Amino acid sequence: MIDQELNQEGVASLAAISFEVIKTEKHTGARLGILHTPHGSFETPMFMPVGTLATVKTMSPEELKEIGAGVILSNTYHLWLRPGEDIVQEAGGLHTFMNWDRGILTDSGGFQVFSLSKFRKIEEKGVHFRNHLSGEKLFLTPEKSIKIQNALGADIIMAFDECPPYPADYKYVKESTERTSRWAERCLIAHDRPEDQALFGIVQGGMYKDLRKQSAMDLISLDFPGYAIGGLSVGEPKPLMNEVLEFTTPLLPANKPRYLMGVGSPDSLIDGVIRGVDMFDCVLPTRIARNGTVMTSRGRLVVKNATYARDFRPLDENCDCYTCRNYTRAYIRHLIHTNEILGFRLCTYHNLYFLIKLMEQVRQAIREDRLQDFREEFFEQYGFNKPDAKNF
Ligand SMILES: [Zn+2]
């Protein structure tokens, strides 16, 4: 067992990351902050693009820098299977392997074990499941997940947890949440690189407030350098997600970063910031881009539709990204229609730029104490206030 006192003092002075809250917005309590990592300092609230297999699909690291990405996400489960953490470690770690010298966060693999594998059996020690590619039997434990993440070498790593499905009954979520707390402590003990990798705990508890509270208390007692909120955006209605979030964030220490996992639609980003969240990640902007769908200041636009065959305007007339400065809807529609890689690249570029710029605007609104007004204007223009509004 770790000596708690030594842990608190030792880890605090050797912490891999630090977090400063620069300003709290007057009306909503939203936070403007700076996250300092071993690979640079980044303003929060921030959106983190997802690069599952150590690449943000179709984007080069130079392009990611050009659009202002600070921290990107990579995936422990996927990199464990391919190419294997030993190869990444031999390359000098994930930053060197993928030529990215800004921040990296790896998730624990827990979410993929539960979402990708048809067969799985959870026990106290860990989870038995099958490799979603080969069908081979695998066993992942909190210790193994941390060992892999230590080898990958991201700046921020995540505790191995179970993300319960929605809906799930109280008894199931209670047992799962209590186990996630025990696993979090095992992750902390297994963690070999606290001086240059910050391990975040993940608050679970489903949609049950008392379980969220218990989970937050359990994790706070372990004194993680940051806290994620997991188990949201798993199919529940948005008002319920906001309600759980509004209840959960105030339970977390004000001086530590808060990360809402798997959330990336523009409305949920703004509503998350209003409820005190500092970091977000989601595959949404990159995934829909490869399907020919983009987010614009006037709402979603399915550029692959035939309507745009002769539309010679940019994707978004209010956007000054590389794609919008140089290409038309008609051309991009043609590229997507003919399965040309450039089409997916241009849409991905624009979507990531859109969300990263959105967070810049959100930070500016916090500075000026007008986040609620910004939300109203943005929602109105995007079309979120319409009765038939889509999810993004
Ligand atoms: Zn654009």
Side-chain angles (χ1 to χ4, degrees):
M1 284 293 291
I2 287 184
D3 181 321
Q4 195 61 35
E5 217 174 84
L6 179 75
N7 180 39
Q8 276 178 0
E9 284 175 15
V11 172
S13 60
L14 291 169
I17 62 155
S18 62
F19 183 65
E20 292 175 66
V21 177
I22 304 294
K23 182 183 160 61
T24 302
E25 206 254 2
K26 208 161 47 179
H27 311 285
T28 63
R31 297 131 59 93
L32 180 72
I34 303 179
L35 179 71
H36 302 280
T37 79
H39 289 86
S41 299
F42 310 102
E43 282 191 310
T44 61
M46 70 156 110
F47 176 77
M48 305 182 285
V50 177
T52 304
L53 280 158
T55 169
V56 177
K57 288 191 199 312
T58 77
M59 297 282 284
S60 72
E62 290 71 23
E63 288 167 329
L64 289 170
K65 285 184 182 174
E66 203 172 86
I67 62 172
V71 178
I72 61 174
L73 217 87
S74 234
N75 202 284
T76 295
Y77 169 76
H78 289 281
L79 294 176
W80 176 37
L81 301 189
R82 297 180 304 183
E85 74 281 10
D86 54 327
I87 292 180
V88 176
Q89 190 173 33
E90 210 176 307
L94 206 43
H95 291 88
T96 317
F97 187 55
M98 65 183 290
N99 187 35
W100 177 251
D101 59 8
R102 293 189 182 173
I104 302 179
L105 183 153
T106 46
D107 69 358
S108 67
F111 187 78
Q112 285 69 34
V113 168
F114 291 103
S115 63
L116 290 177
S117 180
K118 286 192 189 82
F119 158 88
R120 63 173 176 266
K121 188 169 163 277
I122 308 170
E123 52 185 60
E124 187 62 28
K125 191 163 179 347
V127 188
H128 296 276
F129 63 102
R130 284 187 193 274
N131 177 333
H132 75 290
L133 302 167
S134 67
E136 174 200 1
K137 278 186 185 170
L138 294 169
F139 187 53
L140 194 56
T141 64
E143 289 79 11
K144 177 74 180 165
S145 168
I146 296 299
K147 196 170 188 304
I148 300 167
Q149 294 189 79
N150 284 160
L152 295 173
D155 304 280
I156 299 171
I157 66 175
M158 303 303 299
F160 187 69
D161 65 332
E162 183 194 352
C163 174
Y166 173 82
D169 66 56
Y170 183 84
K171 185 170 174 286
Y172 181 89
V173 180
K174 184 172 161 55
E175 283 171 13
S176 162
T177 304
E178 288 170 356
R179 184 169 50 233
T180 286
S181 291
R182 293 191 295 273
W183 283 359
E185 187 171 8
R186 283 166 54 189
C187 286
L188 202 60
I189 293 166
H191 185 21
D192 263 346
R193 295 176 59 179
E195 68 289 351
D196 66 345
Q197 291 187 291
L199 170 62
F200 282 22
I202 305 176
V203 178
Q204 290 289 353
M207 306 301 152
Y208 303 104
K209 288 184 179 173
D210 62 323
L211 299 182
R212 285 276 165 190
K213 186 168 185 182
Q214 187 57 54
S215 175
M217 296 307 125
D218 290 349
L219 296 178
I220 292 166
S221 74
L222 297 170
D223 195 27
F224 287 96
Y227 296 90
I229 300 156
L232 290 179
S233 195
V234 289
E236 77 283 11
K238 281 197 180 183
L240 179 57
M241 175 173 99
N242 284 334
E243 192 189 316
V244 175
L245 202 53
E246 196 157 317
F247 175 81
T248 307
T249 46
L251 302 170
L252 300 172
N255 61 345
K256 304 274 177 79
R258 302 163 181 166
Y259 160 31
L260 177 56
M261 305 182 82
V263 167
S265 64
D267 56 337
S268 297
L269 291 179
I270 299 173
D271 282 339
V273 170
I274 285 174
R275 288 164 181 80
V277 176
D278 309 299
M279 304 160 68
F280 303 84
D281 83 284
C282 194
V283 294
L284 180 76
T286 41
R287 181 172 289 167
I288 64 171
R290 297 195 301 280
N291 209 8
T293 300
V294 291
M295 298 181 253
T296 81
S297 54
R298 305 250 164 218
R300 92 208 287 254
L301 189 147
V302 185
V303 70
K304 76 170 173 199
N305 284 351
T307 341
Y308 302 109
R310 287 185 169 78
D311 190 333
F312 302 105
R313 290 174 294 171
L315 291 177
D316 183 349
E317 286 173 298
N318 295 320
C319 179
D320 62 353
C321 84
Y322 168 76
T323 300
C324 293
R325 278 188 284 113
N326 296 291
Y327 301 96
T328 63
R329 294 173 182 180
Y331 180 61
I332 294 169
R333 189 247 165 203
H334 157 70
L335 293 177
I336 301 273
H337 198 67
T338 52
N339 255 329
E340 284 292 338
I341 291 167
L342 183 61
F344 309 126
R345 274 168 52 71
L346 293 174
C347 288
T348 302
Y349 191 106
H350 166 82
N351 275 349
L352 288 177
Y353 186 91
F354 182 81
L355 289 187
I356 286 170
K357 274 281 150 185
L358 172 63
M359 297 314 263
E360 258 178 58
Q361 293 170 301
V362 163
R363 293 195 296 269
Q364 191 56 30
I366 296 175
R367 272 186 201 100
E368 295 168 1
D369 289 315
R370 51 169 193 86
L371 185 57
Q372 201 64 53
D373 291 344
F374 174 79
R375 180 192 186 275
E376 295 312 315
E377 291 156 22
F378 182 88
F379 272 50
E380 187 59 36
Q381 217 189 13
Y382 200 96
F384 283 126
N385 293 338
K386 288 183 192 148
D388 61 341
K390 290 243 169 35
N391 261 344
F392 58 85

